[in-house]
């Protein structure tokens, strides 16, 4: 098969090309005297002002952004394969120029455009527009190459939009701040590592505190898992830094004790943030409800999955969340009891925010108990957002991919 042969050839030269690109990037730009690197601006009095600025960073930004070209095909053994072809550097990032770059690359590799049976990009108008987007221009030469918005990207949009609730956004920001607090300082990270190793005996549970990934839920869920497993040790680390507590518990440790004022101030603030019951219940709500998406997120990015299999997986996950919503009272009771146990581990009592007459910045539904409050103001809205976003991102996704059209 032509595509398979070309993919194998390209794979063999990837390392050499990337090495050459790296060497070219390291080459200095054309040298110019610093005095020539200036912009001349006239002030209000008509006088010229010369602002001498180094242009190298600006010229670096002006370099073409590489476009990655990959193909998926069925090989001679009837296996679905996904292979990297090449990096391309379009002159401009318009629908026309990107489409022409793709066509030119395929022609150079002697891959027939009319044999294409699909296109997969993100949902940006530049790529997805039915009039001037890349997919529309490709379909002019390949009528059967129907466009499909990447399913993994759609799922990430579902999660991103569902997490737009104010309480959820605040919780995510706090988790990110905690992660950066320790990751940006080897001194703080050493303290956390020592406390975790001191409290956990199983070597397999010694996981680092990871940074939140902004694009992929699978990586973000792993961060939440690490945060959940190290939550008690995070609290102890903050208490050591902010208030110099637990000295008797860690007398055998070789960690720093001379913390500067800024570290103490930040540790005190973050400690107050993550030891509120509102944070704990919000974190567990998001963590438990979105845990069902971890497996499907990985599968949707696999090389061998096809559009029909992906659709079946989406239908199954939508059914799961709709069933979850029907039993939301019982399901959320499990989350709430889990939150109570997590709060007890750090001596926090269940509570609910004060309900005001007028409230614009958070949910404000009245309730008789904290469990009822968080069910009405967090559990139900979050599950409804998930279902609505799943329907919006994936509804009608398969209509253009009927078996008649693809074959």
């Amino acid at each position: 098969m032509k595509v398979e042969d070309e993919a194998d050839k390209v794979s063999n030269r990837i390392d050499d090309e990337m090495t050459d690109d790296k060497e070219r990037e390291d080459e200095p730009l054309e040298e110019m005297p610093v005095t020539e690197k200036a912009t001349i601006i006239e002030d209000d009095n008509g006088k010229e002002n010369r602002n001498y600025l180094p242009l190298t960073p600006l010229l670096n930004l002006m370099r073409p952004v590489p476009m990655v070209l990959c193909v998926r095909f069925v090989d001679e053994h009837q296996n679905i394969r996904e292979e990297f072809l090449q990096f391309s550097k379009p002159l401009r990032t318009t629908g026309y120029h990107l489409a022409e770059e793709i066509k030119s690359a395929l022609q150079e590799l002697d891959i027939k455009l009319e044999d294409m049976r699909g296109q997969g990009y993100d949902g940006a108008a530049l790529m997805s527009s039915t009039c001037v987007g890349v997919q529309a221009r490709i379909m002019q030469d390949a009528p059967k190459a129907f466009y499909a918005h990447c399913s993994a990207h759609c799922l990430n949009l579902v999660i991103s939009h569902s997490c737009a609730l104010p309480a959820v956004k605040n919780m995510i920001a706090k988790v990110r701040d905690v992660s950066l607090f320790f990751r940006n300082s080897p001194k703080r990270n050493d303290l956390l590592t020592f406390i975790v190793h001191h409290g956990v005996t199983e070597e397999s549970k010694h996981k680092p505190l990871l940074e939140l990934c902004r694009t992929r839920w699978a990586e973000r869920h792993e961060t939440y898992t690490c945060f959940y497993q190290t939550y008690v040790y995070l609290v102890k680390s903050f208490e050591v830094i902010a208030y110099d507590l637990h000295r008797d518990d860690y007398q055998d440790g070789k960690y720093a004790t001379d913390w500067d004022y800024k570290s103490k101030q930040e540790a005190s603030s973050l400690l107050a943030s993550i030891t509120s019951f509102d944070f704990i219940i919000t974190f567990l709500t998001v963590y438990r409800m979105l845990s069902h998406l971890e497996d499907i997120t990985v599968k949707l990015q696999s090389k061998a999955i096809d559009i029909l299999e992906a659709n079946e997986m989406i239908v199954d996950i939508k059914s799961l969340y709709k069933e979850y919503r029907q039993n939301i009272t019982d399901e959320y009771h499990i989350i709430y009891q889990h939150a109570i146990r997590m709060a007890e581990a750090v001596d926090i009592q269940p509570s609910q925010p004060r309900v005001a007459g007028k409230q614009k910045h958070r949910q404000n539904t009245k309730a008789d108990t904290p469990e009822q409050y968080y069910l009405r103001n967090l559990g139900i809205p979050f599950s409804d957002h998930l279902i609505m976003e799943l329907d919006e991102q994936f509804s009608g996704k398969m209509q253009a991919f009927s078996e008649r059209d693809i074959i």
Side-chain angles (χ1 to χ4, degrees), residues 56 118 125 310 353 391:
T56 301
D391 289 336

Side-chain angles (χ1 to χ4, degrees), residues 18 61 94 104 190 196 207 218 220 261 299 311 343 354:
M18 293 183 69
L61 292 175
T94 64
S104 175
D190 288 344
V196 170
K207 295 184 178 181
R220 181 178 291 189
Y261 175 77
K299 290 182 178 179
N311 182 65
R354 180 178 60 88

Side-chain angles (χ1 to χ4, degrees), residues 20 22 26 40 55 77 79 93 122 133 159 175 178 182 202 209 231 262 266 279 285 350 359 367 381:
D20 293 340
K22 178 62 178 176
D26 293 337
I40 302 176
L55 296 183
H77 302 293
N79 296 320
T93 54
D122 59 24
I159 297 169
V175 172
V178 170
F182 287 100
E202 297 181 22
L209 194 60
Y231 175 73
K262 182 179 179 181
E266 291 181 4
F279 171 86
T285 299
Q359 179 60 258

Side-chain angles (χ1 to χ4, degrees), residues 2-242:
K2 191 65 178 176
V3 175
E4 182 178 355
D5 295 339
E6 292 295 337
D8 292 336
K9 291 179 181 178
V10 172
S11 298
N12 293 332
R13 72 169 190 264
I14 290 176
D15 293 336
D16 295 336
E17 291 184 352
M18 293 183 69
T19 301
D20 293 340
D21 288 342
K22 178 62 178 176
E23 292 176 354
R24 284 195 293 269
E25 289 179 2
D26 293 337
E27 292 178 359
L29 296 173
E30 183 180 354
E31 294 186 359
M32 297 173 59
V34 176
T35 54
E36 296 180 10
K37 302 176 183 179
T39 57
I40 302 176
I41 304 174
E42 290 188 357
D43 60 17
D44 295 336
N45 298 324
K47 297 180 179 180
E48 291 184 353
N49 291 328
R50 289 182 175 269
N51 300 320
Y52 295 96
L53 300 173
L55 296 183
T56 301
L58 298 179
L59 293 175
N60 285 335
L61 292 175
M62 294 169 61
R63 288 181 175 177
V65 178
M67 177 178 65
V68 181
L69 185 62
C70 301
V71 292
R72 303 185 79 228
F73 57 93
V74 180
D75 63 15
E76 58 184 359
H77 302 293
Q78 303 301 311
N79 296 320
I80 299 176
R81 290 177 55 184
E82 181 177 310
E83 297 291 345
F84 167 83
L85 286 184
Q86 67 179 40
F87 288 111
S88 298
K89 294 184 178 180
L91 297 177
R92 297 178 60 188
T93 54
T94 64
Y96 171 78
H97 287 88
L98 292 178
E100 290 301 314
E101 185 69 28
I102 293 173
K103 293 177 184 179
S104 175
L106 294 178
Q107 289 175 358
E108 290 178 2
L109 296 173
D110 197 19
I111 299 175
K112 295 181 179 180
L113 202 62
E114 57 269 20
D115 290 340
M116 290 177 60
R117 292 297 182 269
Q119 308 175 64
Y121 317 111
D122 59 24
L126 174 70
M127 310 300 293
S128 63
S129 173
T130 57
C131 297
V132 295
V134 172
Q135 64 102 356
R137 296 183 183 278
I138 294 292
M139 284 190 68
Q140 293 175 359
D141 297 319
K144 292 186 178 181
F146 293 102
Y147 162 71
H149 188 177
C150 173
S151 296
H153 186 260
C154 287
L155 191 60
N156 281 320
L157 290 177
V158 168
I159 297 169
S160 177
H161 294 166
S162 300
C163 293
L165 291 174
V168 177
K169 290 176 64 176
N170 292 337
M171 180 276 296
I172 293 175
K174 292 172 184 177
V175 172
R176 182 179 295 112
D177 291 342
V178 170
S179 176
L180 293 176
F181 178 82
F182 287 100
R183 288 177 58 85
N184 291 343
S185 170
K187 183 177 175 181
R188 301 168 190 165
N189 192 62
D190 288 344
L191 171 64
L192 176 61
T193 301
F194 171 77
I195 293 178
V196 170
H197 281 240
H198 188 273
V200 182
T201 55
E202 297 181 22
E203 191 67 25
S204 60
K205 291 185 178 181
H206 291 172
K207 295 184 178 181
L209 194 60
L210 305 178
E211 185 176 359
L212 277 177
C213 178
R214 298 184 178 218
T215 56
R216 301 185 181 222
W217 168 247
E219 283 76 9
R220 181 178 291 189
H221 185 76
E222 184 179 358
T223 301
Y224 287 164
T225 300
C226 293
F227 187 92
Y228 170 74
Q229 292 177 343
T230 59
Y231 175 73
V232 174
Y233 309 112
L234 287 170
V235 172
K236 289 185 177 181
S237 298
F238 283 131
E239 290 175 341
V240 169
I241 297 174

